[in-house]
Amino acid sequence: MTQPDEPTHALPRPVSPPWTPPPPSGEPTIHLDATEATVHLGAAEPTADLGRTEAANATAAATARGGALAAPTTGPGGELRFGPGVPAAPPSAPAWPAGVPAPRRRSLWRRSVSVLSTLLTLVLLVAVGFWIWQRLSPLEISGVSVALPEPAGQRCDVTVDVVATVRTNGRPGTVKYQWLRSGSAPGALLTERVGPGQRTVELTLRWTFSGVGSTTETATVNVVSPSSAQAVTEVAYSCPG
């Protein structure tokens, strides 16, 4: 504090140095006025580096005047770019697809059951197809022959077996036949069942001879169906007495 009776000394005021304009540079100068949000750019670069506050003020002023202004975008160097001619922000990269879970391996038991089921199905299909094929394909006679396995020889009062062999195509069916003996009436019509895969059928005639003397007779097998066929053989009898 100063006393009323002490002299007063005036302090010197600092003198400000004269204002000197900054040297010109290669970057454009931006002049923003408080009443009009107009950005003046130099000819060297069509874009301007603005802070976030200046960019927001310029955007609001352009919107107020009715003009549509593109949203500011960030350039390679980190600067904000907006205004006509500035492309819109690039779309965001698509999300990386989630990894597809690996398929679960079936157990050994399930695989074995699947294989066995497939094999069983194939066997059933083959069996059904074979059965249908046999039913659709009829029985056919491919040949007939007659033989005398054991001749009567020089014996009296004997019974001999005359055997006829019928050859087929292996299809199931029924063979109808009769025996014809010389000097006798035709025999009755007989049947013989043929099974699947059976390719030969034996038909037997038992013929009895008696008395003294000699004779030669014939035995004929007459197949009536499924197709007609015949075969004949001789039967000799001799009894010296």
Side-chain angles (χ1 to χ4, degrees):
M1 297 179 59
T2 59
Q3 299 297 328
D5 54 354
E6 292 180 359
T8 303
H9 298 278
L11 299 176
R13 298 181 62 183
V15 179
S16 300
W19 179 82
T20 303
S25 61
E27 297 184 356
T29 304
I30 303 172
H31 302 280
L32 297 178
D33 187 70
T35 60
E36 182 179 4
T38 303
V39 180
H40 301 280
L41 302 179
E45 185 177 358
T47 59
D49 296 336
L50 299 179
R52 297 184 179 271
T53 304
E54 290 80 356
N57 294 335
T59 303
T63 305
R65 292 196 305 270
L69 192 62
T73 60
T74 304
E79 70 275 7
L80 291 176
R81 297 183 178 183
F82 69 96
V86 178
S92 59
W96 190 262
V100 180
R104 297 176 57 186
R105 297 184 60 184
R106 294 190 299 176
S107 61
L108 180 60
W109 168 253
R110 290 181 177 271
R111 285 182 290 174
S112 301
V113 171
S114 177
V115 172
L116 291 177
S117 176
T118 303
L119 292 178
L120 181 60
T121 303
L122 291 177
V123 170
L124 290 177
L125 290 177
V126 171
V128 171
F130 182 71
W131 182 84
I132 295 176
W133 175 66
Q134 286 185 334
R135 292 298 182 272
L136 295 179
S137 182
L139 174 66
E140 296 179 359
I141 303 298
S142 58
V144 180
S145 60
V146 179
L148 194 64
E150 187 178 354
Q154 300 293 323
R155 294 179 298 167
C156 299
D157 304 329
V158 296
T159 300
V160 296
D161 292 337
V162 182
V163 180
T165 302
V166 180
R167 294 180 295 277
T168 71
N169 59 351
R171 308 295 187 270
T174 301
V175 176
K176 294 183 179 182
Y177 68 100
Q178 65 180 162
W179 285 101
L180 304 177
R181 295 178 293 180
S182 59
S184 302
L189 190 63
L190 307 175
T191 59
E192 184 69 21
R193 181 69 182 175
V194 181
Q198 185 178 355
R199 295 188 174 275
T200 58
V201 181
E202 290 186 352
L203 311 175
T204 302
L205 169 66
R206 297 183 65 85
W207 198 348
T208 301
F209 293 88
S210 61
V212 178
S214 298
T215 184
T216 300
E217 304 293 339
T218 59
T220 304
V221 62
N222 179 34
V223 178
V224 177
S225 68
S227 59
S228 59
Q230 284 188 349
V232 62
T233 187
E234 291 184 349
V235 181
Y237 173 73
S238 177
C239 177

